[in-house]
Structure formats: C-alpha cells, structure tokens
Amino acid sequence: LGVGLCRSRRCSSTMIAVLIAHSATVISPGSKVLVVGSGPVCLCAAKLAAVRGFSTTCLVPPGDCELGPGLVSEGGDLGSLPLTFMPVAGPEASEEAIEAAAASAEGLILAIDNEGAFGKPVLETFLQPSSALTRVAVMSRYLNGEGMGFFASAAKTAANKDVWAANAQAVASYKAMEAEVARMSGAAGVEWTVIRAGTLKGGGSGCSGEEGDERSGEPSLLTPAFYELGQQDIVNWRLLYDCSALKVKLVRGDTLPGPGFTAALTATDKVGAGDSHRGAVAAALVEALRSPDAANRDYSVAAEEGREFPGEKEWSHLFEAAH
C-alpha cells in the first residue's frame, strides 16, 4: 500500500508516519516491564508503570530498594500495586533472578537520576535478541549545547547540583549510549524511544504530608517522603515546584535549550528554560512504551507552569502532536 501510494505521487510524510505508527508494537497493561537505573526518576517511573497496570520489576541499587516502597506508597505498603523491587548488587542480589527478569520483560525502561549513562556491557544484559522484549525507553539529556556554558555551570556549583550543564564528558557518554541502544535494539528487533531531560526538578506529590496541608499537586507521583531526601532548606523548594510546574511540553528531537544566563535565577523553585519535571520524564518513559508514535524516535521533555498533570489521554495526544 505504501509503495503504491508513493508511486502514484500521493504519498506524504504524514501518510508515512501513519503507516509506521500502525506497524509499531505497543505494550499493554498486564505485560511485564523492567525498570532499571537509580534515583527518584527511576523509582517514579516504576511507580507509574505499575499504576498503568504493568507487572513491574524495579532493578535498582540496595539503597533504592530500601527507600523505594516508602517513596511509592505512604507507609511503604504497596498493597495490590504490581511492583517488585530487586537489588542489582549486594548480598541480596541474584544473578539468576536478574537474568530471568531481563529475559521475560516485554518493556524496558532505563533511567538514572544523576548524570550517569548506561554503558555497553549493561545494555547488552537487557537488550538481547533472545528475550521477550519489544519496546525500550531510555532517559537521556538535552545534548545540543544551546543555553549551556558558563552560567549553567556556575548555577550548578553555587545553587543546585542537579542543574544540567552539559559537560563534554557526560554528553559524550549519553551520545554513545543512545547509539548503542539504537544499534542493539535494531539487532534484537526491538523498538526504542529516547526521552531527553534537562535539569531534573521536583518529582513528589506536591503535598508535605502534614495535617491540613491542602496544596495542589499530582498524587500519582512520589510520596511526601521524597521531600525528606537530600539537603533540606528552610522552605522546601522542591515541594513548591511540585505545586506549580506540572504542565508538560513534549517536542520531537533534541531541540530544547538549557537555562542560559537565567540559570542562577531559576536553579531551584522557579520554572525556567532547561527544566524537566521528574514526574513528567518518568511518565514520558512509561507512556512511550504505549505509544505507537514514539517508536524509534527521540523526544525532549520541558516543564511549564501549571497545576494540572497530563492524564493517559493527554499523554497520548502529546506524543501524537509532538513535532
């Protein structure tokens, strides 16, 4: 059909995109999804995958295994949520269990909260031709260099260590990772999606957990225990951010800028250029597994001011409309 249309000169890029989307494999609720990485963005992706109905295994360092239940569910009781935490290292780690989880997973999410990228040996463990895998979504970064440089680096040092300043070594590592993911996915017959983040901010439900706290937020994200992690300020700026930066911008490719000369002014609670909400990045990774439009493409996620977080239908539209 596609060839016939093109020969009759009626083929357009839109038609081709539709044909590709309809041929893409998507992951359905009940399917097994393996989430691998570390830090809050990884734990948030695991929670959202389970909330969407995927049978989810979260493979993370022992410290995250310990923190995970309390960040996913208040009190640490997962109840009926289809989520299991598995240590990737330490005395409780099982090579056999890890290999079994990798072999049976139909969807794979790779996300590291800090500036670490997955190397070739790790990717080879999870992107194997003999596995059940059909879709993979990997978190990368804005790598185009716009809005980076001195101001972003200074803000990272002075105001917020999570500011993404695109240092050369990190950029090279992410580019190498993306190339390996695309190559290995092609060899294994797996469809891939790259989700790009800038400076990761927020990620919690936007409620402090204290009695009488009625601040808005998104309850599907991490619990208020998230706000107890790391360095504490008199005013928890991460909580404030989670109440006001829930709108999401999703664009195709690596086109979004970093913070530029406003880096110091927007390094914490203020929404600025180069920001990506952790919850939005985590959700984009999960929704990419379900989106025909996301197959073999890369997207950049940006935070915008707003008090409404996208639901399932909104995420589907965001991927369809991204350009």
Side-chain angles (χ1 to χ4, degrees):
L1 174 62
V3 173
L5 286 172
C6 288
R7 285 176 176 171
S8 64
R9 296 186 179 181
R10 288 180 292 167
C11 186
S12 68
S13 59
T14 301
M15 291 178 179
I16 293 172
V18 170
L19 291 170
I20 292 173
H22 281 297
S23 67
T25 303
V26 296
I27 307 299
S28 303
S31 301
K32 292 183 178 180
V33 169
L34 179 61
V35 182
V36 182
S38 62
V41 72
C42 179
L43 298 175
C44 191
K47 177 179 181 177
L48 293 176
V51 167
R52 290 289 186 259
F54 297 126
S55 178
T56 307
T57 299
C58 185
L59 183 62
V60 287
D64 283 348
C65 280
E66 183 178 349
L67 290 171
L71 290 174
V72 166
S73 176
E74 292 195 48
D77 181 8
L78 300 181
S80 61
L81 197 66
L83 174 58
T84 301
F85 291 96
M86 181 183 295
V88 71
E92 301 298 320
S94 167
E95 184 176 346
E96 292 77 13
I98 293 172
E99 290 177 349
S104 63
E106 297 163 74
L108 174 66
I109 293 173
L110 302 170
I112 299 176
D113 202 276
N114 61 27
E115 296 180 8
F118 291 92
K120 182 177 179 180
V122 176
L123 295 174
E124 287 175 337
T125 301
F126 301 106
L127 287 167
Q128 298 183 10
S130 58
S131 71
L133 193 66
T134 59
R135 292 292 289 265
V136 56
V138 58
M139 186 191 119
S140 186
R141 297 282 186 159
Y142 301 176
L143 304 179
N144 60 69
E146 184 180 353
M148 301 298 176
F150 171 78
F151 293 105
S153 297
K156 182 179 184 68
T157 300
N160 179 5
K161 65 180 180 58
D162 289 333
V163 169
W164 170 242
N167 75 78
Q169 183 176 353
V171 169
S173 296
Y174 281 116
K175 287 183 176 179
M177 177 188 70
E178 291 179 21
E180 288 296 337
V181 167
R183 181 185 67 80
M184 292 183 191
S185 295
V190 173
E191 292 167 337
W192 54 267
T193 306
V194 172
I195 299 296
R196 302 186 183 281
T199 296
L200 290 173
K201 292 184 182 179
S205 62
C207 174
S208 68
E210 298 177 359
E211 186 176 353
D213 190 339
E214 298 179 351
R215 279 172 282 199
S216 62
E218 173 50 47
S220 68
L221 304 182
L222 299 177
T223 69
F226 169 68
Y227 303 118
E228 300 172 8
L229 301 178
Q231 182 177 347
Q232 301 298 307
D233 299 319
I234 296 175
V235 176
N236 196 313
W237 67 263
R238 290 178 297 175
L239 189 153
L240 299 177
Y241 193 86
D242 282 332
C243 292
S244 61
L246 293 177
K247 188 176 179 181
V248 177
K249 179 179 181 179
L250 185 73
V251 300
R252 284 272 303 275
D254 183 15
T255 60
L256 296 181
F261 68 89
T262 65
L265 301 175
T266 62
T268 54
D269 63 300
K270 295 185 183 300
V271 181
D275 282 5
S276 299
H277 194 286
R278 278 187 179 85
V281 173
L285 289 165
V286 173
E287 297 300 332
L289 301 179
R290 296 153 41 100
S291 171
D293 297 277
N296 302 324
R297 290 173 174 169
D298 67 312
Y299 297 83
S300 297
V301 177
E304 294 186 336
E305 291 187 6
R307 294 180 178 271
E308 295 293 331
F309 194 70
E312 291 185 58
K313 290 183 179 179
E314 288 83 4
W315 274 108
S316 177
H317 177 70
L318 283 170
F319 276 106
E320 290 174 3
H323 60 273

